Amino acid sequence: MKKLFCFVSIIALTFAGYSFGQDVAVVYDAALENGNVLGTGGLKAFDLADLIIEKLADKKINGEIVDGEGLINYMNANPKGIYVLTQGNTPDTIFQNKGEADPVYSWLREGGIGGFIGDYPFYYYWNYGTGARVEAAAGGQQKIFGVNVTNANTASVKPTDLGKKYMPSLKNWVSNRPVGISALEQNNFEFESYAHDGANTDPVAYRTDDMEGWFINFHTSCCGTAIPAFEQIATSYAELIANRFPPVSQSVDSSGKVSVIWGQLKALK
């Protein structure tokens, strides 16, 4: 009995000394788009989310997959956290095209960092009540950023020096949902272009003059157009987070997550 008590005590001390919770919330929800990445011809989002978690772990960054409800809980607990959406829809838990009333609006302004993979950020949100996407169209970005910056140009982009610095794995690719550089400049956005063709950029991080946080538009495409392999996207995303947006210390509710954390403890030793 004494040996068992000592063993349990050691485990308890180990967990007490570890900061429970994830640094990065990677959003995958089987309820969204039948588990697919919107606009990519039926590619399964779980595979992408799982790879991002794996690549973050390689960088000693603790990520965890969350659904729509888990996302708002994470954001509430981590005002300067980082989320990555993998399915092209923004869950209605954080965005319903209401502008300042949307939780993501204030979260970005208070220092949170939002990341997106899919077709056109804030164009769609997922209504859990009806089990369907709702089209906010260009007005979605206008509600969050005050202007629409995404366009439908087909852009053959090449990594910039900044892109090569933060994402050594980044390669040339073709985006058909890039961000217009002129739209950013004319509306006084602060931005970092990681790949562009001179007029269009993707990946890119940007923020309005009243945002402390950033929004990362990363490998967006529509209508079955090929995106880079998931391995490539996950590797580059993890590099960008580690090299440019390293997480601050996070603290979230550990209930129901002990097994996940214990696995990560072993993996990060």
Side-chain angles (χ1 to χ4, degrees):
M1 179 66 70
K2 181 180 289 185
K3 287 184 179 179
L4 177 60
F5 176 78
C6 290
F7 179 70
V8 171
S9 298
I10 290 170
I11 292 177
L13 287 172
T14 300
F15 280 109
Y18 185 80
S19 177
F20 284 106
Q22 69 271 40
D23 294 318
V24 180
V26 180
V27 184
Y28 164 77
D29 196 324
L32 274 66
E33 299 295 333
N34 297 314
N36 297 333
V37 182
L38 178 63
T40 55
L43 295 176
K44 291 299 180 183
F46 180 79
D47 296 331
L48 176 56
D50 196 45
L51 270 174
I52 292 173
I53 296 295
E54 177 185 316
K55 300 302 180 182
L56 287 170
D58 290 344
K59 301 291 184 182
K60 303 296 187 284
I61 295 174
N62 179 14
E64 185 172 315
I65 294 174
V66 300
D67 59 13
E69 190 63 33
L71 174 59
I72 187 61
N73 292 336
Y74 168 85
M75 289 168 60
N76 287 336
N78 299 283
K80 296 186 185 297
I82 304 174
Y83 75 69
V84 179
L85 292 175
T86 63
Q87 289 171 275
N89 288 278
T90 303
D92 69 5
T93 53
I94 70 166
F95 172 75
Q96 295 183 31
N97 201 26
K98 295 179 179 179
E100 294 185 19
D102 288 317
V104 70
Y105 181 96
S106 56
W107 191 76
L108 291 170
R109 279 154 180 79
E110 292 168 3
I113 298 171
F116 182 88
I117 302 167
D119 173 18
Y120 211 122
F122 298 113
Y123 199 96
Y124 301 106
Y125 68 87
W126 191 263
N127 184 316
Y128 285 98
T130 63
R133 79 174 91 118
V134 177
E135 185 174 312
Q141 287 188 13
Q142 292 167 13
K143 289 288 181 62
I144 300 301
F145 304 122
V147 66
N148 178 40
V149 298
T150 300
N151 61 55
N153 295 337
T154 299
S156 298
V157 299
K158 297 180 180 181
T160 63
D161 289 340
L162 204 59
K164 294 174 184 177
K165 174 184 176 181
Y166 293 136
M167 291 174 280
S169 68
L170 192 63
K171 302 183 184 302
N172 299 355
W173 80 290
V174 179
S175 171
N176 67 0
R177 288 294 185 269
V179 170
I181 293 175
S182 62
L184 295 172
E185 292 175 337
Q186 291 169 10
N187 291 282
N188 298 316
F189 279 68
E190 181 180 357
F191 68 95
E192 297 180 356
S193 173
Y194 305 121
H196 68 69
D197 65 358
N200 306 283
T201 176
D202 180 7
V204 57
Y206 54 81
R207 60 183 176 182
T208 61
D209 59 8
D210 66 342
M211 281 172 54
E212 290 187 22
W214 293 83
F215 191 80
I216 304 170
N217 188 96
F218 198 102
H219 287 323
T220 47
S221 63
C222 170
C223 313
T225 300
I227 62 173
F230 282 175
E231 178 83 15
Q232 171 69 52
I233 293 176
T235 298
S236 295
Y237 227 128
E239 289 174 345
L240 180 62
I241 291 173
N243 296 329
R244 175 60 182 88
F245 300 106
V248 297
S249 262
Q250 306 292 343
S251 177
V252 299
D253 182 6
S254 61
S255 61
K257 297 179 182 177
V258 172
S259 62
V260 175
I261 297 301
W262 180 240
Q264 289 169 343
L265 272 174
K266 293 189 291 183
L268 297 177
K269 282 183 177 180

